Every structure is written in structure tokens, then in C-alpha cells.
Amino acid sequence: MIKANYPVDKLGAIQTPFYYYDLNVLRATLDEINQHKGSFKVHYAMKANVNTQVLATIKNAGLGADCVSGGEVQAALDAGIPASEVVFAGVGKADWEINLGLDNDIFCFNVESVPELEVIDGLAAAKGKKARVALRINPNVSANTHHYITTGLNENKFGINLSELDKVTDMVKTLANVELVGIHFHIGSQITDMTPFQDLCVKVNEIQEHFESRGVALMHINVGGGLGINYEHPNHFPVPDFAAYFKIFREHLTLRPGQTLHFELGRAVVAQCGSLISKVLYVKEGTSKKFAILDAGFTELIRPALYQAYHRIENLSSDKAEETYDVVGPICESSDTFAKDYVMNATKRGDIIALRSAGAYGEIMASQYNLRKLPKAYTSDELLIK
Ligand code: LLP
């Protein structure tokens, strides 16, 4: 089993806070994906992390890219990911972003509304091109995850509702500059129970039959991402169970001959390879509790403040008896708290702390609030950590 390596001598010598990516964990994760994906196509969800070396490692493993902005489309192309493997989703694509996709002949636009279809058709016509599109369908499947990261319910802003499907399909046929190549779904993120994925398969089968009964053949089915990771035990479960995940789709989703099944995995690819490395600035005795005040805050890792997310916190400098702390950052907001009543090895000023499982939606969501500097990042390769 591959384990992330955190040598405190090397990490402690670098100015904190910073992100640390263990590329050995990332490579082991990508190997596992490639071992179990069979003929499925995996597009890495760029929104999770676009660190240059992380992206290069993902590109070398042969994954395509799932983008949600012109910036991400450009970053995928700059990383050398072929345009023919780039999918582009998002409820609010601006004209320049659509044009960027058209100019580079990306594989497919995942389209979320009728007005968007019309705009893509118009922009493609102006270039004398035909845009490949997949309809993003809202399957009304519950993902049993945090309400901020659930996307596949009727109440969410994403995708085309099932009730509108016929109307939209008829309308696509009237547009000369778009070609309907597939359908797309994404039900949410950090899904650790496989049942919602199984529910999604059942829905996709029904929707496929519906399309067939109307004489529409689809080449591509894209089921999005969402596979969760184990935030509690990153050392025991550094690589998600891709075998079980792909098996669900293999067993429950009926593909037609020649059809390709696509995935857009973000978190499951990169979360476990990354940590936010920080230093304890002060240990402050409150009236009823002790605070460990770090030099990292929600400006570097916003997930605990925004989603009440749990990240394992390790004191790399101490093997003293455990004590209980509120682990907080330096930002002038009470929500700048990584964990309350957290039990970890007794800490003192200067100790090096790792906030684990931060490779996905960590560095990329950093901000400069309080005029803080955006965090730097280092990889195990460049620090010569095996
Ligand atoms: N495809 C689409 C259309 C998406 O909206 C997303 C994520 C993905 C793929 C990748 O999902 P993943 O495999 O990473 O679960 N910032 C939040 C997560 C937001 C996810 C948004 N969409 C967090 O830190 O938990």
C-alpha cells in the first residue's frame, strides 16, 4: 500500500503555509484508475486542482479534461491534454469561452439550457463550424451529500429537467450548427455510498430508452464525477476504491454497441495526494478550551468554513500525549476554524501541522482576503521525497 510521506525535517524547512503534493500517491491513484476503467473514458475535473506538476502527472496517465470555464479549457490545452479529450460544462458559459472551445474543436460542450444551445449554434454558425453537444440532464437523483455540493435534484440550477427533454431534443434537430452526440449527468460530490450511482444508472437506462423510442442515437454517455474519498483515514485509504465504483456502472448501466461511457472525476483523483502544511503560531489558553492558532486559515483552505468539512489534522513535530484543541487560523472571522475540540499530539509554537486530504478544492479555492498571499505549492518530486 502506498502511504504519503511527510518528513518533518524537509517540510519544516520551508516557509509556511504551503501546499504539499505527494506525487507518488497521485501516481498510485492514477494507476488504479487505469487498471480498472477498462474501455471507459475518464476526464479529470480541472476545478479540483490545476497545479502544473499535478496536471502533468494526470496528463501523462492519459486522462482527458473536464472544464467549467475558458480558463480551465486553456489550462487543459496548455498542459498538453488534446482538445479531442476536453469536455466543457457550466450553466453560464460566456461567448468568449464558447468561442475558445469552438476554435480549438474541443470534444464536446455539456449544454445546460435551451438559450445556451441557441447561442452555441449561432457562434458555431459564424465560424462555419458544427459544435458537438451533450445535453446535461438533471436526473432528480439524490446524492446524500452536503446540500452545497448536491447538483442533480430538480431544485438545483444545473441541467435540463426531465420534463423538458422532448422539447429540447426536438429543438436541437432544428439547429444546423450543433450536433447532439450524447447526454451528461452529474449528481453531486463526495459521494461515498454507491447507491446514488446505482440509482443514476437506472435513470440513465430509462432515459436512453426514451431517446431510442424517438429515434435518437447517442454515441456518448457522461455520468460526471462525485466519487468520494475517506477524509477520516487518509493513511489507511489513500486510494479510493475505483474497482467498486466502475463495477457499479459496468453492472447497472446498459451501453449500446459502440457507445462510450465517460466520467468526470476530480476529488477522487487528487484529494489524498495533497496536504496544507502550516505552523503553530500560538497556543492560547481560553476560559474553557485551548486554541492552536495556525499560520494557515480559510484563505488557504476554505472547505471547513464553507461546508463544515472535516480534514484530518496531524502534528508532524510531536509524539507527546494527546490533548484537545480548537484548531483555528489567523483570519478575522470566527468561521476561520479548521476543527473544534480536536484531539492531537500536544502542540507548541513552531510545530509543523499537516491538514490532510486537501489536494482537491484546496489550493484552487484559496483567496487573498485580509491581503494574504496566495499559498505556494511543492511536490514530493521537487523536494526529493520518495
Ligand atoms: N462534473 C461536474 C459537472 C461537476 O460539477 C463536478 C464538481 C465534477 C464533475 C467533479 O466532481 P468530483 O469528482 O470532484 O466530486 N468545492 C466543493 C466541491 C464542488 C464540486 C463541484 N462540481 C468541495 O470542496 O467539496
Side-chain angles (χ1 to χ4, degrees):
M1 183 179 75
I2 184 93
K3 255 185 108 168
N5 193 3
Y6 293 90
V8 71
D9 52 333
K10 281 200 173 163
L11 297 174
I14 301 169
Q15 173 76 47
T16 50
F18 62 90
Y19 273 88
Y20 169 59
Y21 299 116
D22 190 327
L23 296 185
N24 298 313
V25 171
L26 178 59
R27 284 186 280 258
T29 308
L30 292 162
D31 284 350
E32 196 73 6
I33 292 175
N34 281 332
Q35 196 184 323
H36 296 287
K37 76 175 175 40
S39 58
F40 300 160
K41 181 77 213 169
V42 179
H43 304 262
Y44 166 61
M46 302 272 294
K47 63 175 81 64
N49 187 323
V50 292
N51 172 276
T52 315
Q53 290 184 56
V54 166
L55 217 46
T57 309
I58 291 170
K59 186 236 155 204
N60 288 342
L63 273 60
D66 161 42
C67 305
V68 288
S69 70
E72 286 187 1
V73 170
Q74 193 60 58
L77 298 173
D78 291 349
I81 295 176
S84 59
E85 312 216 331
V86 170
V87 293
F88 184 9
V91 289
K93 299 179 190 76
D95 293 15
W96 74 266
E97 296 178 304
I98 295 170
N99 279 328
L100 180 69
L102 290 170
D103 289 341
N104 287 284
D105 291 317
I106 60 165
F107 169 62
C108 187
F109 293 87
N110 292 331
V111 174
E112 310 229 6
S113 68
V114 169
E116 184 192 332
L117 263 177
E118 289 168 339
V119 169
I120 294 179
D121 183 60
L123 293 173
K127 292 180 185 293
K129 292 195 169 191
K130 204 160 185 170
R132 283 172 296 275
V133 301
L135 299 179
R136 176 167 182 180
I137 300 171
N138 185 336
N140 199 24
V141 168
S142 169
N144 297 327
T145 184
H146 192 278
H147 61 283
Y148 276 17
I149 50 176
T150 192
T151 46
L153 289 174
N154 282 344
E155 69 201 50
N156 299 128
K157 69 178 174 182
F158 300 99
I160 296 162
N161 284 330
L162 287 171
S163 57
E164 289 178 309
L165 205 53
D166 284 348
K167 203 178 73 195
V168 179
T169 313
D170 289 343
M171 189 229 156
V172 177
K173 289 181 191 157
T174 68
L175 302 175
N177 294 85
V178 298
E179 180 190 1
L180 179 63
V181 298
I183 47 178
H184 171 238
F185 306 83
H186 174 75
I187 56 172
S189 199
Q190 183 52 16
I191 301 168
T192 48
D193 164 19
M194 293 293 145
T195 320
F197 293 123
Q198 198 170 319
D199 296 345
L200 174 62
C201 290
V202 172
K203 270 281 163 66
V204 174
N205 290 340
E206 285 170 20
I207 293 168
Q208 280 248 69
E209 279 171 25
H210 184 83
F211 272 101
E212 274 174 349
S213 71
R214 296 176 59 89
V216 181
L218 301 164
M219 282 147 65
H220 302 281
I221 309 291
N222 182 335
V223 286
L227 176 62
I229 61 129
N230 193 318
Y231 281 97
E232 280 77 25
H233 304 291
N235 294 321
H236 294 103
F237 301 99
V239 178
D241 192 351
F242 292 105
Y245 174 67
F246 289 127
K247 190 162 172 257
I248 293 279
F249 292 90
R250 211 164 271 131
E251 288 184 352
H252 298 279
L253 197 150
T254 316
L255 286 179
R256 308 299 186 253
Q259 244 178 10
T260 311
L261 187 62
H262 299 252
F263 292 82
E264 300 169 343
L265 293 171
R267 188 190 315 266
V269 182
V270 290
Q272 296 294 39
C273 79
S275 286
L276 173 60
I277 307 295
S278 174
K279 205 174 258 180
V280 176
L281 291 175
Y282 305 102
V283 178
K284 170 168 144 173
E285 301 278 348
T287 42
S288 58
K289 41 174 77 195
K290 259 199 284 251
F291 295 94
I293 303 171
L294 309 187
D295 64 1
F298 73 44
T299 39
E300 285 73 37
L301 179 63
I302 201 171
R303 301 194 68 258
L306 195 55
Y307 316 113
Q308 299 82 48
Y310 173 90
H311 285 263
R312 187 179 156 84
I313 302 172
E314 291 173 358
N315 185 346
L316 302 181
S317 306
S318 166
D319 53 9
K320 294 199 198 88
E322 289 179 331
E323 289 187 30
T324 303
Y325 302 91
D326 275 15
V327 183
V328 303
I331 315 295
C332 298
E333 305 243 4
S334 298
S335 62
D336 187 29
T337 297
F338 289 120
K340 289 201 159 143
D341 299 322
Y342 195 86
V343 178
M344 66 175 179
N345 297 106
T347 187
K348 59 174 192 327
R349 175 174 164 84
D351 282 357
I352 302 297
I353 302 289
L355 288 128
R356 300 290 306 276
S357 312
Y361 309 111
E363 184 184 358
I364 196 73
M365 291 181 81
S367 76
Q368 292 180 300
Y369 184 46
N370 284 191
L371 266 191
R372 289 168 61 81
K373 289 200 170 63
L374 288 173
K376 290 193 171 160
Y378 303 89
T379 65
S380 51
D381 283 11
E382 62 190 319
L383 299 179
L384 303 175
I385 297 172
K386 288 272 183 297

